Amino acid sequence: MKALLRKIASFFFRLALGTLATVFLAATCLLLYLVVAGIPDWAAQQLLREANARSPYVVQASSMRLDLVNGLRLEGVQVFRKGIVGPPGVAARYLSVIPDLSAVLEGRLCIRGVLIDNGVVLLDQLQDRSAPPSAPSALPSFSLNVEIRDCRVDFVDVRSLSCRVEGFGMLTHVSQLRAKVEHGGGAGVVSGDITYDAASDLVRGGIQAAAEPSLLLPLLRRWEMNDAIGYVELLSFSNSAPRCDFTFLRLGGKSPLLRASGGFRLQEFKYRGVDLLRCEGRFNFMSSESHTEIRVDPLLIVREEGTLRGAVALYPDDGLIDFRAESSLDPAALSRMLELVPEDVLSLFRFDGGMRISIAGVLDYVNQERTTIDGKAAGNGITAWKFVADECSFDISVRGCTNQISKLRGRVYGGDLVSKITIISPSPAYTNLRYTVAVGLANAEFKQLARALMDAGYEDYSGRMSFFTKISGEVNDHPLRSIRGQGGLRIREGRVFTLPIFGGFSEYMTKVIPGLDLVLRQTEARMDFVVKNGKISSNRIEIEGGVLSIAGRGDCIPYPDTQLDYTIQVKLLRDNLVGKLVRLPTWIISKLFEFRLKGTIDEPRWYLVNFSSDLLSRMGLRKERALERPLEPARKPTKPPQQKHPPKEPEWPEGLIPKSGIL
């Protein structure tokens, strides 16, 4: 009996073993068939129909096969959102779904991973924004890994992306996010965590990124943020990509709100073509239906010559910018970054010795009415056109449309410089720009001034020069004719007669009085002038030498080629008591040597008024070009330039002239 039972047991064991081997072999063959040949089309389409019936999406695939590593692999995949007309939201060469069989028993999502390879994802085509919002419902718990390789998401190339997505009722959490992205030649790495609460329509998270700002352009274009697009396009980076670490919160619903805060750091980059070593700071961003605010505090900008430290707050809804800054940057570089001064004007200035600026205020960039700015600046080695200030300091004030530089003090060629400048910007009430400029320079070295203006021939100049002018005008169709003002010029022991403009006069006088060229060297000069109707007019021009002096009056038209028209009369000795006593009997000689100065600054023409052409020829003073007297009708002798009531001294504004004095 026992032997029979053993035979029956052995039979059934061999039968079961054979059956298992057959089943295993059949399963292996089926698996190999599904891997190699793929799932039959009728079975694949049936699976897709079952999946599409329970989903808001429609999935199409050209073929389906098993992947021993990545689970169920679909090829030639297209995913459409139901109710959306247009291209597919997802079009990929491969889409792999990794099943989780144990999740079926636990009532969870039976997918533990999704892989999209070599495809295009259009986010707008996956969202049905036209459908009315519905009350959120809790989702079954799930956990899956998502991976994307070599795909274009909207307009950003995603070389790789991986994250873990978990669902707990109304919460969806994306963790371990890692992505490498590219766009327009720029690349970056992004990581972070994001949580979505469907009950309150709240998204919050933290992002760390090392990426070029050009990667933001597709997102900014999607949001139609044209101003931000312009700023991003002005940035360029050589080596390291900028870094940013921030947290954010977005609240949807009837009262949408967006907040973000964090820090940033940029190295070795250019903004508007200006080289910057580093820029870093912390920012806060808040936007709601009624208010938007962007704040950067603190802010640090570093260049080779110095730094800028400060803070800035932007209020786009109000059109205001609140700022403060302490800067030792090159003002030219700062102006290029902020587009403060046109490049053709900026090229006239140089700041070799550095500039320190402290400024704060509120800028109203809509209508300027609420603008209030105050600041101070000081520097050394400042070049404006051809003039160099060894040191300079001034105050800055802006109130509405009125821009003012006041308390300007400096040292220019050994002299004291003072100035005050007021510029009134155009406004609805007055569309032309208006200005007032007052400049005073006391006891500057005449030779150094001449060296700045002349390439050669300044070696014989000496003495000290003082100058003052106050002019006002506006920028209109005739800006030069709008200028009004007055001023004065004083030169002590300056050898004025050696100036090129007096070349014709010196030639006349040295031929009439041989050896007079040595006497003409040491001179003092004074001139008062009035600016009006496009002319610089003077009723008082005096140049005094040890033996010979001249007095004159006339006009100068500075534009376009500095036309001169002056009457000059020669006097003997200085204008003192002895000179006046000696001058009385020699008045006829003085009257005889009355000159007219015509031409331009570059080509002045001197001629004697009361000498005949024949006499000039005999004296060797008549020339065919520069010294030839033009044919003029006979004219009555003119009165001497001295007036019964000489013009008053120009009005020197109180507090504008240095203690050493202008006169």
Side-chain angles (χ1 to χ4, degrees):
M1 187 67 179
K2 291 182 180 179
L4 178 61
L5 292 175
R6 283 196 297 270
K7 289 181 179 180
I8 293 173
S10 176
F11 171 76
F12 280 106
F13 176 76
R14 288 195 299 271
L15 178 62
L17 185 62
T19 301
L20 290 175
T22 302
V23 170
F24 177 77
L25 181 60
T28 303
C29 293
L30 178 61
L31 180 63
L32 291 174
Y33 176 80
L34 295 177
V35 170
V36 176
I39 299 175
D41 289 342
W42 62 268
Q45 296 304 320
Q46 183 63 31
L47 288 174
L48 291 177
R49 279 194 295 270
E50 292 292 333
N52 293 337
R54 300 183 179 91
S55 170
Y57 299 96
V58 175
V59 180
Q60 298 177 355
S62 60
S63 63
M64 187 183 302
R65 67 180 64 244
L66 288 179
D67 190 311
L68 296 178
V69 177
N70 295 320
L72 187 62
R73 179 169 177 172
L74 286 69
E75 299 182 1
V77 180
Q78 291 184 326
V79 180
F80 296 87
R81 172 80 186 205
K82 292 179 180 178
I84 299 295
V85 178
V90 177
R93 184 175 181 182
Y94 303 112
L95 188 152
S96 299
V97 179
I98 304 173
D100 186 359
L101 300 180
S102 64
V104 178
L105 301 176
E106 299 175 4
R108 296 185 290 105
L109 185 67
C110 59
I111 299 175
R112 63 182 178 87
V114 175
L115 169 63
I116 302 176
D117 192 355
N118 201 349
V120 176
V121 179
L122 302 177
L123 298 178
D124 284 340
Q125 293 298 113
L126 296 175
Q127 305 177 60
D128 187 4
R129 301 183 182 274
S130 62
S134 58
S137 58
L139 297 174
S141 298
F142 67 92
S143 177
L144 71 153
N145 296 320
V146 177
E147 188 173 357
I148 297 177
R149 299 175 186 168
D150 296 328
C151 290
R152 168 160 286 197
V153 180
D154 279 344
F155 298 99
V156 177
D157 293 326
V158 178
R159 291 297 167 224
S160 65
L161 182 148
S162 63
C163 64
R164 185 169 186 80
V165 183
E166 299 173 290
F168 312 95
M170 305 293 284
L171 294 177
T172 302
H173 182 60
V174 179
S175 61
Q176 303 175 23
L177 174 64
R178 300 289 185 273
K180 293 182 179 180
V181 294
E182 297 179 357
H183 175 73
V189 179
V190 180
S191 61
D193 297 270
I194 302 172
T195 300
Y196 174 61
D197 185 354
S200 58
D201 195 12
L202 175 66
V203 181
R204 66 168 70 237
I207 298 293
Q208 302 82 44
E212 293 194 22
S214 60
L215 295 172
L216 295 173
L217 291 175
L219 185 61
L220 297 176
R221 292 191 180 102
R222 185 176 180 182
W223 291 348
E224 297 182 352
M225 300 178 66
N226 295 326
D227 292 340
I229 292 173
Y231 292 129
V232 170
E233 290 177 341
L234 294 173
L235 291 166
S236 61
F237 296 85
S238 55
N239 296 318
S240 59
R243 296 180 176 274
C244 185
D245 184 349
F246 66 94
T247 59
F248 69 93
L249 178 149
R250 186 200 67 82
L251 179 63
K254 296 181 179 180
S255 301
L257 174 68
L258 176 61
R259 291 181 180 273
S261 62
F264 62 90
R265 181 184 178 91
L266 295 76
Q267 287 184 288
E268 297 181 1
F269 68 104
K270 290 184 178 182
Y271 179 70
R272 295 189 190 274
V274 177
D275 291 313
L276 299 171
L277 295 179
R278 191 168 86 251
C279 176
E280 61 185 48
R282 297 197 62 80
F283 70 91
N284 285 275
F285 173 82
M286 191 277 289
S287 178
S288 65
E289 286 186 328
S290 59
H291 183 69
T292 299
E293 177 180 331
I294 306 169
R295 185 179 296 273
V296 180
D297 186 5
L299 172 65
L300 171 65
I301 299 175
V302 181
R303 277 175 47 91
E304 290 184 355
E305 76 277 3
T307 63
L308 182 148
R309 298 178 183 273
V312 60
L314 285 75
Y315 305 95
D317 300 311
D318 301 322
L320 297 177
I321 299 177
D322 190 348
F323 67 95
R324 71 175 190 276
E326 300 281 342
S327 172
S328 57
L329 298 180
D330 180 2
L334 194 60
S335 176
R336 290 187 178 97
M337 285 191 290
L338 301 178
E339 287 192 317
L340 298 177
V341 180
E343 192 64 31
D344 55 344
V345 176
L346 190 62
S347 63
L348 302 176
F349 294 86
R350 204 169 66 247
F351 304 88
D352 297 329
M355 195 85 176
R356 298 170 302 281
I357 302 173
S358 174
I359 192 167
V362 176
L363 174 64
D364 180 356
Y365 59 86
V366 176
N367 53 26
Q368 296 184 307
E369 292 180 357
R370 295 168 292 177
T371 297
T372 303
I373 300 174
D374 293 288
K376 294 181 178 293
N380 302 303
I382 302 171
T383 301
W385 190 44
K386 296 184 178 182
F387 302 103
V388 180
D390 298 325
E391 56 187 65
C392 181
S393 64
F394 54 88
D395 291 351
I396 303 169
S397 174
V398 182
R399 295 292 183 272
C401 296
T402 303
N403 311 271
Q404 192 171 89
I405 293 178
S406 60
K407 297 181 181 179
L408 190 151
R409 299 286 188 274
R411 292 286 295 173
V412 177
Y413 302 123
D416 296 321
L417 173 70
V418 291
S419 181
K420 181 178 180 180
I421 303 171
T422 302
I423 300 175
I424 302 177
S425 304
S427 66
Y430 201 92
T431 57
N432 291 333
L433 183 144
R434 292 166 289 168
Y435 60 88
T436 299
V437 179
V439 180
L441 177 62
N443 300 319
E445 292 189 17
F446 187 44
K447 183 175 183 177
Q448 292 190 33
L449 279 169
R451 179 187 291 124
L453 295 172
M454 303 171 61
D455 296 330
Y458 53 80
E459 293 81 3
D460 292 335
Y461 301 153
S462 63
R464 295 276 177 171
M465 189 190 83
S466 299
F467 170 80
F468 171 78
T469 185
K470 181 178 181 180
I471 60 173
S472 60
E474 63 181 56
V475 178
N476 53 25
D477 294 337
H478 304 284
L480 293 179
R481 296 189 64 84
S482 72
I483 300 175
R484 300 286 188 274
Q486 60 180 354
L489 173 69
R490 308 290 183 269
I491 300 176
R492 290 192 175 93
E493 299 182 358
R495 300 184 180 180
V496 178
F497 287 127
T498 60
L499 290 172
I501 193 173
F502 289 101
F505 172 78
S506 300
E507 185 173 356
Y508 269 96
M509 297 308 297
T510 53
K511 287 191 176 183
V512 174
I513 309 175
L516 190 62
D517 55 333
L518 298 176
V519 180
L520 290 176
R521 290 181 177 273
Q522 296 295 334
T523 55
E524 295 186 4
R526 60 191 297 133
M527 172 184 177
D528 299 332
F529 60 87
V530 174
V531 183
K532 187 177 181 181
N533 296 327
K535 288 185 178 182
I536 302 176
S537 303
S538 179
N539 287 328
R540 182 185 181 187
I541 302 174
E542 296 179 355
I543 302 176
E544 297 182 343
V547 175
L548 194 66
S549 300
I550 66 173
R553 61 184 177 184
D555 302 321
C556 170
I557 302 177
Y559 185 81
D561 52 1
T562 318
Q563 292 290 330
L564 307 174
D565 187 6
Y566 290 94
T567 299
I568 307 294
Q569 190 177 76
V570 176
K571 302 178 183 179
L572 297 179
L573 301 180
R574 288 178 176 268
D575 194 6
N576 50 32
L577 180 59
V578 176
K580 290 180 179 179
L581 292 175
V582 175
R583 192 179 299 157
L584 285 174
T586 59
W587 179 84
I588 298 178
I589 298 176
S590 298
K591 185 60 185 173
L592 188 63
F593 286 95
E594 183 174 323
F595 288 84
R596 290 295 298 277
L597 172 59
K598 293 273 193 175
T600 66
I601 287 288
D602 295 330
E603 295 183 1
R605 294 188 296 112
W606 290 79
Y607 61 87
L608 286 162
V609 175
N610 299 313
F611 276 45
S612 67
S613 300
D614 182 61
L615 181 57
L616 289 173
S617 298
R618 293 182 180 182
M619 296 173 62
L621 296 175
R622 178 179 173 85
K623 294 185 179 180
E624 295 299 327
R625 294 182 179 177
L627 298 180
E628 182 178 4
R629 174 184 173 181
L631 296 176
E632 293 185 349
R635 48 186 287 181
K636 296 181 180 180
T638 59
K639 294 182 179 180
Q642 295 88 347
Q643 299 179 358
K644 185 176 182 180
H645 301 288
K648 297 180 180 179
E649 294 285 343
E651 298 177 4
W652 312 102
E654 184 178 356
L656 191 60
I657 305 306
K659 293 181 179 179
S660 57
I662 277 285
L663 302 179

